Amino acid sequence: QGFKDNLHAVFCLAENAVGPRATRPDDIHVLYSGKTVEINNTDAEGRLILADGVAYACKDLGADIILDMATLTGAQGVATGKYHAAVLTNNEEWEKACVKAGRNCGDLVHPLVYCPELHFSEFTSAVADMKNSVADRDNTPSSCAGLFIASHIGFDWPGVWVHIDIAAPVHAGERATGYGVALLLSLFGGASEDPLLNMVSPLGCNGDSPAEDMERDSKRRRLV
């Protein structure tokens, strides 16, 4: 689509096959971020490799905007339903942009509570930097799961982090819906050369002059 910025896609893939090296309760893993994680729930495995993915995007790729998207929690369907994915982000403008992009393209999105100062304590561990699953499953588990991922780039990281939990809207019965493709195209369409995507994207600098277009100093200024 003629994307005009450096764009990387990091696929965080793992096989759930049982074997002699499978993760066990009480294991402690050192993740790519350098942080240690005590395993208290072996079914909360996807977030481990997602945490490595965002840490890689930050440390190795030097990204200043990181968006992770995954079928992360069953609780997402309870929190925002089967038609709206859940968005969690450290940037209010990007939260609004995700909601607007969803309305423009049909891949609907609704915000989750972002409050690490109150919720990240759910992962407290006596033997590691954190556990991999919450202590209280009634305390906004979808938000907490996203915070687990964010903690591996750091809550003081100056860039834009967006987490989209698509667990429920990706399927209808036994069929996949393809949810997420249109959302990403709409969200980032303002940075492409496609006039239709420019029109539906909530991000962009349509009021800038061509000279300003060429001299923008960062992706965040260009897109937000």
Side-chain angles (χ1 to χ4, degrees):
Q1 303 297 327
F3 198 75
K4 295 177 285 190
D5 285 318
N6 290 327
L7 176 66
H8 302 271
V10 179
F11 292 85
C12 304
L13 307 175
E15 189 175 5
N16 260 3
V18 176
R21 299 184 64 188
T23 297
R24 296 173 173 84
D26 299 331
D27 281 354
I28 296 178
H29 292 262
V30 181
L31 269 62
Y32 190 62
S33 64
K35 297 179 190 264
T36 55
V37 177
E38 176 190 356
I39 304 300
N40 66 328
N41 183 349
T42 55
D43 192 40
E45 82 292 351
R47 65 193 63 181
L48 301 176
I49 195 164
L50 280 167
D52 278 357
V54 298
Y56 174 79
C58 179
K59 292 165 61 174
D60 293 70
L61 301 178
D64 57 3
I65 300 167
I66 297 175
L67 184 149
D68 72 81
M69 179 181 285
T71 55
L72 194 63
T73 65
Q76 176 273 308
V78 177
T80 61
K82 64 182 181 179
Y83 301 115
H84 292 73
V87 61
L88 187 73
T89 175
N90 64 355
N91 186 291
E92 186 176 5
E93 291 303 312
W94 278 75
E95 179 183 279
K96 294 176 182 176
C98 287
V99 172
K100 188 173 181 181
R103 290 173 180 165
N104 288 348
C105 72
D107 281 355
L108 300 172
V109 179
H110 193 78
L112 291 174
V113 174
Y114 177 81
C115 193
E117 62 271 28
L118 293 181
H119 293 150
F120 192 67
S121 59
E122 289 291 344
F123 296 104
T124 299
S125 168
V127 294
D129 291 320
M130 67 195 78
K131 294 181 179 179
N132 77 316
S133 190
V134 294
D136 183 358
R137 295 177 68 87
D138 292 328
N139 188 18
T140 187
S142 291
S143 287
C144 291
L147 294 176
F148 177 91
I149 297 168
S151 70
H152 292 272
I153 53 177
F155 295 120
D156 58 349
W157 183 60
V160 174
W161 169 76
V162 180
H163 164 72
I164 302 179
D165 192 335
I166 59 174
V170 294
H171 62 83
E174 297 181 354
R175 302 291 183 181
T177 62
Y179 182 97
V181 177
L183 178 62
L184 292 177
L185 287 171
S186 176
L187 184 60
F188 293 107
S192 81
E193 295 175 351
D194 187 304
L196 178 60
L197 294 182
N198 289 171
M199 183 177 67
V200 299
S201 177
L203 302 171
C205 291
N206 295 328
D208 290 346
S209 69
E212 289 171 330
D213 259 356
M214 296 176 64
E215 295 176 4
R216 293 187 186 108
D217 58 3
S218 72
K219 278 188 279 188
R220 195 176 318 147
R221 183 180 170 193
R222 175 162 52 247
L223 291 174
V224 172

